[in-house]
Amino acid sequence: MSLIVMKFGGSSVGSTERMQRVAKRIIKTKEAGNRVVVVVSAMGDTTDDLIDQSKQLNPNPPAREMDMLLTTGEQISVALLSMTIHQLGSQAVSYTGWQAGIVTEAVHAKARISDIKPNRIFNSLDEGNIVIVAGFQGMTEEGEITTLGRGGSDTTAVALAAAINADVCEIFTDVDGVYSTDPRVVKCARKLDSISYDEMLELAHLGAAVLHPRAVEYAKHNNVKLVVRSSFNENEGTTVKEEAVMEQGVVVSGIAFDKNVARISILGVEDVPGVLAKVFGELADNGIDVDIIVQSGVQEGKADFSFTLSSSDSDRAIQVIEGIRSEVPFRETTSETNLVKVSIVGAGMVSNPGVAAKMFEAISKLGVSIKMVSTSEIKCSCVIAADLLNDVVRSLHTAYGLDTAEQVFVGGPQDRR
Ligand code: ASP
Ligand code: MG
């Protein structure tokens, strides 16, 4: 008998018919002799719809009230799923995040889980129930309702799996697993049988939407075995674990891209100690995440530097920098949007020379110029203009030998959260 956490994303429970299909699958897993804890997201586009609705009444709603609103989406799912399971003749009980003992920090909209008290879950399992927990939500020690950030149900599932010491945490979605790249861009993308936590973490951070990065981090730290698989078929899926067996000769496992990149340059900055600390400290204080930072040579005591960030933060970042002009004198700022970051990821890169060179070559053959580069032991990212992104991804996919003979059928929209 195994203890299994099964997580279903919004699209997997997006309609009555899908809800029934999921319920049957859960019951089958239970009847095979397992103890089952289920985590669900809000149905379909519920969370987005609630956000739209709130913005019509208040474009800038208090974060506390937003959490109050958004957590209702998952409450609907758990209740409906539990009822469906009862209707099919099995025993289930649904819990909100707080009823399930999920305690978070006192931060709205992006709280981290600080503790899980799983006694109630264990009691319900002992009574023979399928336990269904609302994803994406928790409660502070002071009794305030919080959410874990968009896509946070993955994190709920992994954190619960760690807390109850589950044998496996299965993440059900609408694709068959983790792919070498987005199958909507590359038709012959390959499904990976397994991938290491570190590779998955890079891919998730770099824009592969199949798993929430924080969930992968959590899984790595707690050594939770994750399986990403489809809720629409019985295919094996992709296992995310410590040491993925590397396929012979596979150096690059996946190609990810992020379409929301902007670059800001600050030109003619006085080259004195503390300048970078001031600029990036100020951006951080304003909650602006910065990605790649490049400083170019110093001339006549003045330096230029550039950094990338999410394009939605670009205007605000410029304002912040203009705001500290008196403390950090510079000549001008420029910004460029419509950029993308494309990255190759693979644990095999460390020990294989020439991997990055191959990337630069494939990109330059398409006549695309590389604006910025950043590397780590297991990834290499290039920032390029957005227009030829798909061609670049396809040619990298071929260059690293990732193409398969089969074409992946991509049905509906991917479960992006
Ligand atoms: N329903 C939430 C969202 O759409 C959480 C999740 O789906 O994981 O972001
Ligand atoms: Mg969702």
Side-chain angles (χ1 to χ4, degrees):
M1 184 198 279
S2 297
L3 177 55
I4 301 182
V5 173
M6 304 172 83
K7 182 260 168 180
F8 295 90
S11 65
S12 300
V13 291
S15 66
T16 310
E17 181 259 322
R18 288 183 175 192
M19 190 71 93
Q20 281 164 334
R21 180 169 23 194
V22 162
K24 284 182 193 147
R25 182 154 197 166
I26 295 167
I27 293 171
K28 208 168 125 197
T29 307
K30 163 102 192 299
E31 285 177 352
N34 301 298
R35 282 151 69 88
V36 182
V37 175
V38 178
V39 173
V40 262
S41 299
M43 293 170 71
D45 295 329
T46 305
T47 310
D48 287 327
D49 294 345
L50 289 170
I51 293 172
D52 290 346
Q53 211 178 338
S54 73
K55 300 269 160 163
Q56 285 172 29
L57 295 163
N58 181 346
N60 222 340
R64 178 189 185 278
E65 306 310 328
M66 204 60 184
D67 280 354
M68 188 67 88
L69 177 70
L70 295 189
T71 47
T72 61
E74 272 69 13
Q75 284 194 54
I76 293 173
S77 311
V78 290
L80 290 177
L81 183 57
S82 179
M83 291 174 197
T84 313
I85 290 175
H86 279 268
Q87 178 62 23
L88 292 167
S90 268
Q91 218 181 305
V93 58
S94 67
Y95 289 127
T96 59
W98 42 97
Q99 286 179 314
I102 299 175
V103 183
T104 75
E105 335 164 302
V107 180
H108 286 294
K110 50 169 189 256
R112 283 176 180 271
I113 295 176
S114 48
D115 192 17
I116 296 185
K117 300 175 174 127
N119 2 15
R120 202 158 174 188
I121 294 180
F122 281 127
N123 290 341
S124 299
L125 286 171
D126 290 345
E127 286 161 10
N129 290 295
I130 293 164
V131 177
I132 306 170
V133 180
F136 172 62
Q137 56 177 249
M139 193 176 268
T140 67
E141 296 281 6
E142 292 72 39
E144 285 295 316
I145 292 177
T146 53
T147 59
L148 310 181
R150 296 303 308 271
S153 298
D154 287 348
T155 308
T156 304
V158 175
L160 274 180
I164 64 175
N165 205 4
D167 296 289
V168 61
C169 178
E170 295 185 312
I171 307 279
F172 289 88
T173 180
D174 52 10
V175 287
D176 275 359
V178 180
Y179 278 83
S180 52
T181 194
D182 189 334
R184 287 169 301 182
V185 173
V186 180
K187 293 269 177 306
C188 51
R190 70 164 74 186
K191 196 211 78 196
L192 309 175
D193 292 333
S194 66
I195 187 167
S196 69
Y197 292 121
D198 286 328
E199 289 173 307
M200 190 63 235
L201 202 53
E202 287 287 1
L203 287 176
H205 274 299
L206 292 168
V210 67
L211 272 179
H212 196 260
R214 201 184 281 173
V216 184
E217 235 167 73
Y218 215 107
K220 177 177 156 73
H221 287 303
N222 295 282
N223 211 9
V224 174
K225 181 175 160 195
L226 276 179
V227 177
V228 181
R229 58 195 304 186
S230 169
S231 61
F232 301 101
N233 62 45
E234 302 277 332
N235 297 352
E236 284 287 329
T238 302
T239 304
V240 189
K241 56 186 183 197
E242 193 49 63
E243 281 308 324
V245 193
M246 251 194 284
E247 267 180 68
Q248 200 76 39
V250 173
V251 177
V252 168
S253 312
I255 299 168
F257 46 86
D258 177 354
K259 291 186 177 174
N260 277 315
V261 178
R263 170 163 75 165
I264 292 182
S265 300
I266 313 180
L267 308 174
V269 188
E270 207 73 50
D271 183 37
V272 291
V275 167
L276 286 178
K278 179 74 198 159
V279 171
F280 292 106
E282 202 68 24
L283 290 168
D285 289 346
N286 282 276
I288 297 172
D289 265 337
V290 168
D291 184 18
I292 306 174
I293 304 174
V294 173
Q295 169 165 2
S296 54
V298 180
Q299 273 187 356
E300 291 164 16
K302 306 257 197 251
D304 294 340
F305 55 90
S306 304
F307 59 91
T308 60
L309 74 177
S310 156
S311 41
S312 57
D313 284 340
S314 172
D315 291 345
R316 223 154 44 84
I318 296 273
Q319 275 171 19
V320 168
I321 296 163
E322 292 292 343
I324 52 170
R325 209 177 187 135
S326 57
E327 294 158 78
V328 182
F330 56 85
R331 195 178 69 244
E332 62 174 325
T333 55
T334 61
S335 75
E336 209 178 339
T337 49
N338 224 0
L339 301 176
V340 292
K341 181 172 76 170
V342 55
S343 310
I344 55 172
V345 174
M349 284 170 65
V350 200
S351 48
N352 281 278
V355 179
K358 188 183 246 183
M359 179 179 199
F360 304 149
E361 193 191 316
I363 295 177
S364 71
K365 269 199 188 143
L366 292 166
V368 174
S369 63
I370 298 170
K371 294 173 184 279
M372 280 170 126
V373 177
S374 116
T375 61
S376 80
E377 283 188 336
I378 65 163
K379 71 129 202 252
C380 180
S381 304
C382 294
V383 175
I384 57 173
D387 26 347
L388 284 177
L389 173 67
N390 288 0
D391 296 330
V392 166
V393 174
R394 272 182 222 119
S395 100
L396 290 172
H397 202 265
T398 307
Y400 290 105
L402 294 171
D403 294 352
T404 55
E406 309 137 48
Q407 297 219 329
V408 182
F409 172 71
V410 186
Q414 275 202 54
D415 186 7
R416 311 225 111 221
R417 307 220 148 78

